[in-house]
Amino acid sequence: MILYAAYRTDGTITNAVLVRNSESPGKPKKAEEPEYMEKFIGTSGLKVPVIKSMLSPRDSDAVTGASITFMGVSGTLRAGSLYIMTLGGQT
């Protein structure tokens, strides 16, 4: 998986793109579509959704059948956000 993400200095996710995903065709491949990443934009730190119950019903349906992909993407984005937050806005 190749994932690019952009964050504000407070850890808020401003953009995320899954460039390559080695999952089988079907729902996991939907993670490569821009709409898939919208559920993460604007979240930060521990509010980055990493379990389905943190998502709206619509977003939860979008990740059904693609749990491993969702966990990989969400965990990576949360870790990135938390790391940026530790920098304390330093540039």
Side-chain angles (χ1 to χ4, degrees), residues 7 13 26 29 32 39 41 50 62-63 77-78 83 86-87:
Y7 301 88
I13 300 167
K29 285 294 188 182
E32 294 176 3
K39 64 184 76 32
I41 306 304
V50 292
V63 301
L77 291 173
R78 179 182 272 191
Y83 173 72
T86 67
L87 299 177

Side-chain angles (χ1 to χ4, degrees), residues 7-82:
Y7 301 88
R8 286 192 203 118
T9 57
D10 67 356
T12 301
I13 300 167
T14 60
N15 196 13
V17 178
L18 184 60
V19 177
R20 189 171 65 203
N21 177 7
S22 60
E23 294 284 345
S24 57
K27 287 198 178 196
K29 285 294 188 182
K30 291 188 180 278
E32 294 176 3
E33 297 173 7
E35 297 81 24
Y36 185 90
M37 294 299 171
E38 289 176 4
K39 64 184 76 32
F40 301 107
I41 306 304
T43 64
S44 65
L46 297 178
K47 293 189 179 188
V48 176
V50 292
I51 54 175
K52 290 181 188 181
S53 64
M54 295 176 75
L55 299 171
S56 70
R58 182 182 140 244
D59 286 338
S60 181
D61 287 345
V63 301
T64 299
S67 295
I68 293 172
T69 299
F70 173 71
M71 289 171 30
V73 169
S74 63
T76 300
L77 291 173
R78 179 182 272 191
S81 176
L82 291 170

